[in-house]
Amino acid sequence: MPLVLRAVVLTLALTPTAPLLEAGVVGYEKTPDGVAAETAGGRLKLAVCSERAVRVLFTLRDGPPPAPSLAVVHPCEGFRGFTVRETKAAVSVVTRRLEARLDRRTGSVSFHDPAGRNLLAETAGGRSRVAADVLGQKTHHAEQRFD
């Protein structure tokens, strides 16, 4: 597996307050660490951690903020070696080694190398959240599928 794929950090954090809706990007804003986009189902954030790592975080529209991640050892704070690229089709955060692209129409996320080759792409309709009961606790199973 190429080093750049192992370095991509993907986190899908969902709060258990509403159904997950997939839709295109309604609006977005540049943030100090990347891009935050509004979709019909919630807020999707691309946070640049390093030139080879981008954290993807999705939270529901009216849900509480996500709890701190147990999977993220070093928070994505302080890295500024990226640019935001805007086209009619997508909004991207771009470093020397990686581009994380958010499709405006579908809201799907994909990752590309510096030559533009696709490294990893979210499957259309690839996000899901299913209510579950784990050890008597009401929760949800979240899934994000990539090709």
Side-chain angles (χ1 to χ4, degrees):
M1 176 182 285
L3 177 62
V4 87
L5 280 179
R6 286 183 286 197
V8 174
V9 177
L10 300 174
T11 303
L12 178 65
L14 301 172
T15 54
T17 58
L20 179 61
L21 301 172
E22 293 216 26
V25 175
V26 176
Y28 70 94
E29 64 181 337
K30 296 176 187 177
T31 63
D33 62 350
V35 170
E38 294 295 327
T39 70
R43 186 170 179 87
L44 188 136
K45 184 173 183 179
L46 299 176
V48 182
C49 301
S50 73
E51 66 180 21
R52 295 184 308 187
V54 174
R55 183 176 186 209
V56 178
L57 181 70
F58 182 83
T59 55
L60 295 172
R61 181 170 304 283
D62 294 323
S69 174
L70 299 175
V72 177
V73 178
H74 300 287
C76 299
E77 297 173 352
F79 183 78
R80 300 294 180 257
F82 70 92
T83 59
V84 175
R85 181 181 304 150
E86 304 167 77
T87 67
K88 287 183 179 182
V91 178
S92 303
V93 289
V94 183
T95 72
R96 286 185 330 111
R97 305 279 305 269
L98 182 68
E99 175 185 358
R101 189 179 299 165
L102 176 61
D103 186 287
R104 291 180 190 251
R105 186 180 56 80
T106 66
S108 63
V109 178
S110 58
F111 296 88
H112 306 267
D113 69 10
R117 291 182 297 255
N118 188 31
L119 299 171
L120 187 67
E122 187 175 16
T123 305
R127 290 182 210 145
S128 65
R129 191 186 99 199
V130 178
D133 187 72
V134 176
L135 299 174
Q137 197 72 351
K138 298 266 187 233
T139 186
H140 289 82
H141 293 296
E143 182 176 87
Q144 189 172 21
R145 292 177 297 281
F146 286 83
D147 291 332

